[in-house]
Amino acid sequence: MIVRVLTLFPEMFKNTLGTSILQRAREKALLDIECINIRDYTDNKHKKVDDYPYGGGAGMVMTPQPIFDSYKAVINSLGSAINPKTIYMSPKGKPFNQQAAEALAKEDCLIFICGHYEGIDQRAIDYLVTDEISIGDYVLTGGEIPAMVVIDAVARLIPGVLSQEESYQEESFYSGLLEYPHYTRPRDFRGMEVPEVLTSGDHKKIDNWRRRKSLEITFKKRPDLLKNTKLTAKEVKIIQELKDSL
Ligand code: ADE
């Protein structure tokens, strides 16, 4: 997958995209990520990239010219065979979730536009952007951290990025439920013991325990998720038992 990020702060991405699983994916050429500094494209002799909002009000707005020109440079460098999705990170966008990550992971190329200050001139959104995405109902100082969140969630779904052991198949949201708890050595840590079933070697029992724990945790912490999850008759019975025990 090709990822291009238009930002005023490319240095913010260095560690996140250059460490651990994302760095390994880049080395394996599964991910080709580049950050482009919007400021490099400004026509303003003082390198200004923002201005006061028309109509007044607090804060500065990023001007359209360097955004349009840096975007054009990216499109030209990609060539005509590539048909990217252009994503603007904003609290006004569609809420991001695992389903949205799965859809984006099927794309060949994503271009992120990160706003800062009060955001970007609306004409850049109207003319360039295909998807406006929010990572939650709160306001951050810019779109950089949200873009990193989306890149991370999407990149790990690209085939080959995660090893077998890291595979996401059983994780939270994959099955529509929150994940069961994990334990590792030692078996007894300062008197706190690992649940016995996990050391029994009985894989059927372990699977049943994990599914039950997933159901319990989801019921307790995010009951809303149960509405969208296909449950077996046995699982419906477990949920009923949990409800009855309240
Ligand atoms: N920019 C600022 N806040 C944001 C949010 N919650 N989601 C996406 N982009 C943002």
Side-chain angles (χ1 to χ4, degrees):
M1 174 183 279
I2 298 172
V3 177
R4 296 290 179 263
V5 184
L6 300 176
T7 168
L8 290 175
F9 302 98
E11 65 282 3
M12 282 180 75
F13 290 82
K14 281 217 174 83
N15 280 338
T16 311
L17 305 180
T19 314
S20 183
I21 293 168
L22 293 189
Q23 174 59 18
R24 203 180 60 204
R26 296 172 83 178
E27 284 162 6
K28 285 205 262 176
L30 295 168
L31 258 186
D32 164 6
I33 309 186
E34 267 178 41
C35 296
I36 294 94
N37 194 336
I38 295 171
R39 198 180 295 279
D40 290 345
Y41 289 85
T42 181
D43 286 343
N44 182 281
K45 61 174 186 269
H46 304 295
K47 291 269 171 205
K48 238 172 82 99
V49 288
D50 58 354
D51 214 327
Y52 297 101
Y54 275 123
M60 301 292 269
V61 177
M62 285 170 64
T63 57
Q65 176 274 317
I67 299 173
F68 272 79
D69 289 352
S70 55
Y71 183 80
K72 189 164 177 229
V74 166
I75 292 292
N76 288 345
S77 73
L78 293 173
S80 55
I82 306 275
N83 183 25
K85 276 219 178 294
T86 302
I87 298 165
Y88 177 57
M89 302 307 307
S90 145
K92 285 187 265 185
K94 193 168 170 209
F96 187 62
N97 59 20
Q98 190 64 20
Q99 215 183 330
E102 280 162 22
L104 290 178
K106 297 195 174 90
E107 297 291 327
D108 298 330
C109 178
L110 304 177
I111 301 176
F112 288 85
I113 301 178
C114 304
H116 228 86
Y117 318 118
E118 278 308 298
I120 69 177
D121 188 286
Q122 184 63 36
R123 287 164 291 187
I125 300 170
D126 294 344
Y127 285 90
L128 307 178
V129 169
T130 57
D131 299 59
E132 198 168 346
I133 297 179
S134 164
I135 62 159
D137 291 337
Y138 39 81
V139 181
L140 300 169
T141 53
E144 282 77 11
I145 292 171
M148 286 186 246
V149 167
V150 173
I151 293 168
D152 190 273
V154 170
R156 64 191 291 287
L157 300 178
I158 297 170
V161 167
L162 293 185
S163 64
Q164 200 97 73
E165 307 88 74
E166 292 160 343
S167 170
Y168 61 90
Q169 306 278 330
E170 277 192 287
E171 285 183 34
S172 292
F173 296 113
Y174 181 77
S175 62
L177 298 178
L178 299 180
E179 222 182 351
Y180 51 80
H182 298 279
Y183 296 88
T184 185
R185 265 167 273 277
R187 189 179 195 145
D188 180 333
F189 175 66
R190 299 177 187 171
M192 294 175 272
E193 290 195 16
V194 169
E196 216 175 300
V197 59
L198 296 179
T199 56
S200 67
D202 183 335
H203 289 288
K204 194 158 169 33
K205 257 188 175 166
I206 293 171
D207 284 348
N208 283 338
W209 181 86
R210 285 180 166 165
R211 189 74 181 167
R212 194 181 181 97
K213 278 285 166 200
S214 273
L215 286 166
E216 275 175 24
I217 291 166
T218 311
F219 178 74
K220 225 162 125 187
K221 298 187 179 176
R222 292 288 307 278
D224 56 300
L225 293 176
L226 290 169
K227 285 191 214 96
N228 305 319
T229 308
K230 265 206 196 108
L231 300 175
T232 62
K234 203 169 144 201
E235 288 167 343
V236 171
K237 207 170 142 231
I238 294 172
I239 295 293
Q240 195 51 52
E241 281 166 23
L242 290 168
K243 279 184 186 158
D244 294 344
S245 72
L246 285 179

